[in-house]
Structure formats: C-alpha cells, structure tokens
Amino acid sequence: MSHSTKSGRPFACRLGRTGMSLRLGDHLTMLSHSRLKCRSVCNVTSLKPRHASSVQATRDVNSAVNAIVAYSQQDGPYSASSSGPLANVSIAIKDNICTQSLPTTCSSRMLESFTSPFDATVVSLISRAGAGIVGKTNCDEFGMGSLNIHSAHGPVVNPFGLGSGERRSAGGSSGGSAAAVAAGICDAALGTDTGGSVRLPASYCGVVGLKPSYGIISRWGVVSFADSLDCVGVLAKDVSTVRRVHSTIAVYDPRDPTAAPPHVRDAAAQSYADRLNLVESSSLAGLRVGVPQEYFPTELQSSVVESVRRVLDALRARGATLVPVSLPSTPYALSAYYVISSAEASSNLARYDGIEYGFRAEPPPGANLTKTANVYAHTRSQGFGKEVQRRTLLGTYALSADAFENYFLQAQRVRNMIKSDFNRVFRVPNALLSSRSHPVEDGVDVLLHPSAIQTAPPLPDGADGSPTDSSSLDTYVQDVLTVPASLAGLPAMNVPAGRGADGWPIGVSVVGQWGSDELVLKVGEVIEGCTPKLF
C-alpha cells in the first residue's frame, strides 16, 4: 500500500509577539532562546472548491495547506459505507492516532516509518459506523505546540483567506485536522486536545471543535503526550456533524484504564436531563450562562471582545441569564499545565530509545558505548525535534528530586484549586466526586469565554531556509484561555463567532460541568444560529 506525504522546502519560522505577560515561572525560561527549522508548502493564490469531487482536486487543495500527510487508498479498508450512523461521512485522523492501514508518525522523525499493528478504538468505531477515512492529518510533533509549526512534515497553512495569499497559522497541535475541515477536504476530523489543541485550531480556522469530558472517549490507540490531560476531540464545520461523530465514539472502552465507567456516565446524564429541556425550546429562560472575569485579559484583541459580547447579547435576548463569575486560580493554570504536561511527556517519551522500535541513530565511530544513556542520546537528539527536546528536559527536571516538591507537586495543588473553582460555580455537582454535594442554586449551567486572545497569527515570512530567532514564550501563551478546562477535565467546545477586524475567524468557547457534553453541544447550536456563517 502506498501513502502520499506532503512536505516542502525549508524556511525560517519567526513568531510575532502577542504582548501577553503572565507569570509563567522560572521554569518556562528554559523553553526560550531557541531556533526552529520548518518546511513550507506550496504558496498559492486560490483554493479549489470547498468540497472536492475527485482525489486529484482534494490533493490540489491539500498542496496549499499541508493538512493531509498520508492518504487512504481508494476502495481500501477505510472506504466509506452506505449504511450506518456515519454513512458516507468523510473523516480525517490526526497523525498521533493509530491506524493499521496508514502510517502513524506523530509528525516526528522518531516514528517516520511506523505503522501500527492495530486501529485505535475511535478509528474502529467510525469505520464500523460507515465513515470513510480520508487520511492522516499533520500535527505538531507528538502533539506539542500551539501553531502547528513543530512538525517533521512542515507547518500547516490556515486555509481561511488563502485566496489573498496571506499565510497564517492553523493553530496546534491539531492544526492539520482543523485545516482539512476548513478547506473542505473532509466533513469532519479527529484530533487530540491536551491543553487546547482542538479548540485553538478550530478558533483560528473558523470551525467547530469539541474537547469532550476527560474519560468519555477512549484513548486506547492514541499515542500518549500527557495521559492525565489527553482527550480525543472532534472538528467539523457545524455542531450537528460534531454531535454525530461524538455520539459514535463516546462509548465506554474497557481497554482504556482512564475511561469513565458506565454508571458515572449515567449519573452525569441524569443530573443534566432537566437542563437539556431548557435549550430544546425557542426560549432559553432558566439557562444560566457564566462569564468568567479572568478570561478577559487586557491583551485580548478588541474585536474578540466585541464578538463575545454579541454572542452574550444574543443569548440574553433569547432569555438566558448572564452571570458574572470568578475563577481566581486561572492565572496560575498555564504554569501548572506546562509543568504537569511536560513531566508526563518526559515519562511517556522515554520509550523512544532507538532499541525497541522507531528511528535509530547509530553512534559515531569512537563514541563511548559503555553506558546505555550514551546510546540513547544519539537517537533521541536526532529523532526528536527541538520543541519535544525542550519539553522533555523541562519535564525531567520537574520530576527530579530537587524540583519535585517545588514544581510538580505544586502544579498538582494548583490543578486541584482550578477544579474546585469550576465545581464552585457550576449548578450541577461533579459526577466524578465520591461525595456528591447538593446543587448550587445560584450556580451556572455553562461558561462562555473567548477561545483565543487573538485571531490566527501569521506564519513566518522567511523562505530561504535560514533560521530566525523567535520568542518562544509567545507561542506558549496561545493556550492561556483553553488550559483551565483541560486541567479540570471538563467538556469545552469552540464555536465560530464571526470575524475580527482583520477579517479572520474568532471563536467562543462553551464549557460545561463534567459529563455535560450534550448540553455544551446544544448551547453551541444556539450560538451557531445566532452568528453569521463563515463558509
């Protein structure tokens, strides 16, 4: 079976500053002062029709955005069926989700020749439901990134506005999945969300992106980045398609040790049954929408604020009650996230040593081979990209004896504070808590906030392949508004909310209590009906 991949010539990446100034802590300074090489895709002035009717037309579209890195065979094992709940729905799969008949590289040289011997649970479920798998989508290496520029396949170009020749980021790490949907290459796509990797690309590309409640969708067959944070998410152009895919894959899987058991799922569904009725009617009377004040920093673009206000006004006009809330631990979320996720990543990526499987770099002649660490170092230095190396080093340090208490355990304490903040403001108690509290009468049903502090940032202008300095911390603050829901394991969905002053998409996020995925989807549908279509 042959697979087609897209990559281009090297070019230098240079990121503009966002102006966000947060206390990320001394540990994040380890991530700065770096250089990065990427590979570009073809520069075009126009896209083919959104829904390509032929394989060649689809590949022509992809040559502009570099979203698909491996195509499925026509009439192969991943062909669409005419029956089933996802009959004839075309779906693309992120390159860190295992597929038996397509390579799974995680956009890394370390796994450049790896093909899984099995399909991930989510891949098996959508295949049995009748969906056709288009191929594998580009992503940041092992899911580490917010702009989809840390990929062995080169950066993903945001398809929105390519007609003007403007090259902007598609967001990361699931940028290929979002770009594939926005460009019309597929009807929906699966991505993974660790700290915003589905919602941020969805916001930048103007599509719907859902991160489910942690443990609702099986992670079996998903290459781990941070086990306590990773979720399989769904992206599509509308909420109804997201719901169809989500309903198909949101089933209990006993092979996933982090899966929420059926009785907990049922308890969460029952607790929100009456809230769903509030969204079924034309009036939203009785629905309480929380607006967290910490999610509107001064660095937020004014056009983003205006879009969020329009959505809030539309919900209020339909009878919803807007409630200002405070989540005081939010300013510490980003620091805690990078400590926890990097620590877990350093543990998960220890398996890539060049001995068992994957890429192997032979030590040079005369190298000291008396220690196994020296043998591993050659493979890991060449197989991992700079971003993965940075986070692995940060995570290893956070888990060291000298730093464990001050960094890792402290980050876990912050995480518990963030969870408590959310549980305090939601009306319905968290179904995961062993001791159930009573409903909070003045609590809210959902939260609503901007998905990103800005519209999609531009991709670097360099085309000669020479590296340029970049301010690394700028890339990390892209997730500042999405990380808290990830740390708490809550369902959150980006919904397009119009365009910014520059004409590029803006998204708002709907966040619910654990297990309230269907309520989040229903509120998202209401917002979808109140905002202008982008496509």
Side-chain angles (χ1 to χ4, degrees):
M1 182 174 183
S2 62
H3 309 294
S4 172
T5 62
K6 293 297 298 179
S7 63
R9 61 188 184 280
F11 79 104
C13 287
R14 176 173 52 78
L15 298 175
R17 297 191 61 83
T18 64
M20 174 68 77
S21 58
L22 293 176
R23 292 185 177 179
L24 301 182
D26 294 340
H27 56 278
L28 278 185
T29 61
M30 300 167 61
L31 299 169
S32 60
H33 310 302
S34 63
R35 291 170 177 262
L36 173 69
K37 290 183 179 179
C38 299
R39 285 176 289 176
S40 68
V41 295
C42 301
N43 190 11
V44 297
T45 57
S46 63
L47 283 175
K48 295 291 183 178
R50 291 289 183 186
H51 297 285
S53 59
S54 68
V55 173
Q56 186 56 49
T58 298
R59 298 194 181 198
D60 288 343
V61 172
N62 189 55
S63 69
V65 297
N66 196 29
I68 305 294
V69 296
Y71 290 98
S72 296
Q73 271 188 336
Q74 286 185 283
D75 303 321
Y78 295 140
S79 298
S81 170
S82 58
S83 60
L86 296 179
N88 296 317
V89 176
S90 59
I91 299 179
I93 309 294
K94 189 176 178 178
D95 197 25
N96 63 348
I97 301 175
C98 288
T99 46
Q100 188 174 11
S101 299
L102 284 169
T104 301
T105 73
C106 295
S107 294
S108 175
R109 187 184 182 191
M110 188 65 78
L111 292 175
E112 60 185 355
S113 59
F114 176 70
T115 299
S116 170
F118 56 84
D119 283 333
T121 296
V122 290
V123 174
S124 299
L125 289 171
I126 62 173
S127 295
R128 289 200 296 265
I133 296 177
V134 174
K136 302 298 284 288
T137 61
N138 202 347
C139 61
D140 282 301
E141 185 178 10
F142 286 100
M144 300 183 195
S146 302
L147 298 174
N148 220 139
I149 56 177
H150 306 297
S151 168
H153 303 293
V156 178
V157 180
N158 194 322
F160 196 94
L162 265 182
S164 62
E166 189 174 4
R167 290 163 52 88
R168 294 202 185 191
S169 168
S173 64
S174 304
S177 296
V181 171
I185 296 174
C186 55
D187 298 316
L190 297 185
T192 58
D193 192 307
T194 307
S197 293
V198 163
R199 292 159 286 160
L200 190 65
S203 178
Y204 286 170
C205 292
V207 299
V208 179
L210 170 68
K211 182 200 87 70
S213 299
Y214 181 83
I216 290 294
I217 296 177
S218 173
R219 293 192 304 111
W220 192 83
V222 177
V223 180
S224 294
F225 165 14
D227 291 324
S228 72
L229 294 160
D230 292 342
C231 295
V232 176
V234 184
L235 301 100
K237 284 189 178 178
D238 53 66
V239 177
S240 63
T241 303
V242 169
R243 174 184 282 108
R244 289 177 63 190
V245 178
H246 176 265
S247 300
T248 300
I249 62 179
V251 296
Y252 174 68
D253 181 8
R255 294 177 296 183
D256 178 8
T258 63
H263 72 276
V264 176
R265 297 167 185 250
D266 294 341
Q270 292 174 6
S271 64
Y272 264 93
D274 61 328
R275 314 315 303 165
L276 293 177
N277 296 330
L278 297 176
V279 194
E280 295 284 0
S281 63
S282 57
S283 172
L284 297 180
L287 183 74
R288 294 172 62 85
V289 179
V291 185
Q293 62 185 31
E294 291 83 4
Y295 285 66
F296 293 84
T298 56
E299 295 82 3
L300 205 63
Q301 286 182 347
S302 59
S303 57
V304 174
V305 177
E306 293 169 2
S307 294
V308 175
R309 283 175 177 167
R310 283 195 294 269
V311 171
L312 292 173
D313 289 342
L315 294 177
R316 180 161 47 193
R318 295 193 59 176
T321 302
L322 304 185
V323 182
V325 299
S326 177
L327 303 172
S329 302
T330 298
Y332 311 108
L334 199 62
S335 296
Y337 166 77
Y338 279 111
V339 171
I340 293 171
S341 63
S342 297
E344 294 186 20
S346 71
S347 177
N348 282 323
L349 268 59
R351 68 194 70 175
Y352 304 109
D353 53 19
I355 303 298
E356 296 182 81
Y357 56 85
F359 171 79
R360 174 181 173 84
E362 293 296 333
N368 180 7
L369 304 182
T370 59
K371 294 184 178 180
T372 55
N374 293 338
V375 179
Y376 298 163
H378 293 288
T379 292
R380 291 167 68 83
S381 296
Q382 296 182 40
F384 288 144
K386 296 300 183 184
E387 179 64 18
V388 173
Q389 292 182 33
R390 278 193 292 270
R391 298 202 193 193
T392 301
L393 288 171
L394 170 61
T396 302
Y397 173 72
L399 293 175
S400 66
D402 292 338
F404 188 75
E405 172 68 29
N406 290 334
Y407 289 91
F408 187 73
L409 291 185
Q410 191 77 342
Q412 294 290 6
R413 296 185 187 104
V414 170
R415 185 178 195 175
N416 287 332
M417 291 167 57
I418 292 169
K419 290 180 179 180
S420 297
D421 283 351
F422 281 115
N423 289 333
R424 177 177 49 80
V425 301
F426 280 121
R427 176 183 292 186
V428 175
N430 192 324
L432 293 176
L433 297 178
S434 55
S435 57
R436 301 285 177 80
S437 58
H438 296 290
V440 181
E441 294 302 327
D442 60 346
V444 300
D445 299 305
V446 294
L447 298 171
L448 192 140
H449 63 79
S451 295
I453 60 174
Q454 62 182 108
T455 55
L459 282 173
D461 297 326
D464 58 357
S466 60
T468 59
D469 291 326
S470 65
S471 179
S472 295
L473 294 184
D474 288 343
T475 68
Y476 296 102
V477 299
Q478 302 298 319
D479 294 329
V480 67
L481 301 180
T482 56
V483 157
S486 293
L487 288 171
L490 304 180
M493 182 172 66
N494 173 79
V495 183
R499 306 188 187 207
D502 55 4
W504 284 75
I506 289 174
V508 297
S509 284
V510 182
V511 181
Q513 177 62 284
W514 190 93
S516 65
D517 300 48
E518 181 58 29
L519 178 62
V520 169
L521 287 164
K522 285 188 175 295
V523 174
E525 278 184 323
V526 174
I527 296 173
E528 189 177 56
C530 299
T531 55
K533 300 294 183 183
L534 294 176
F535 299 97

